Amino acid sequence: MTQRPQASVAELADAIDSLAPSSDPVTELARKHSSLPLSGDMGGVIALTKSGDIVCLSWEGDVGPLDDVRTRDVALAVGCKRFPFLERFLPRREPMDPTCPVCEGSGVEPLTANVGLEGIVCWCGGLGWIPSDWPNR
């Protein structure tokens, strides 16, 4: 089973409390809910709370848990680009975890990279491998 270290509550609280007001709607929605923004799209924001929970914040104001382990891991991997201290909370690769067949281990989505698009995350979330507990791996 893939290991997932837990975030330090004090460290998360400090990072969340230090978020400055921003014109970025993803950051502002996360700040409104005292959380750290990991990723955002037209559906809302995936954020990390002070207690270490990963939640979905909709633009309409709904807040709910994020139960899908793959989506949680991908959001955390994306969040590491903005908050590098989160890298230690990514899943740890086990010997039997396969290399991602899409990016072949690079962590970069090849089709969009080949045409010069940036910011498109590979199916593996940039990990370069597929954790054993992801569904439909």
Side-chain angles (χ1 to χ4, degrees), residues 5-17 34 36 48-53 85-86 88-89:
Q6 295 299 307
S8 159
V9 172
E11 190 171 27
L12 286 175
D14 288 345
I16 291 166
D17 291 341
S34 298
L36 202 61
L48 187 59
T49 68
K50 289 182 179 183
S51 64
D53 296 321
F85 82 93
L86 295 176
R88 69 176 166 275
F89 306 118

Side-chain angles (χ1 to χ4, degrees), residues 102-123:
V102 176
C103 68
E104 298 178 344
S106 72
V108 177
E109 203 290 320
L111 295 176
T112 55
N114 289 340
V115 296
L117 293 176
E118 296 180 14
I120 307 298
V121 179
C122 181
W123 190 86

Side-chain angles (χ1 to χ4, degrees), residues 67-84:
D67 297 323
D68 180 75
V69 68
R70 180 186 163 273
T71 304
R72 286 194 330 249
D73 287 347
V74 169
L76 192 56
V78 169
C80 287
K81 292 178 179 152
R82 182 171 175 189
F83 306 104

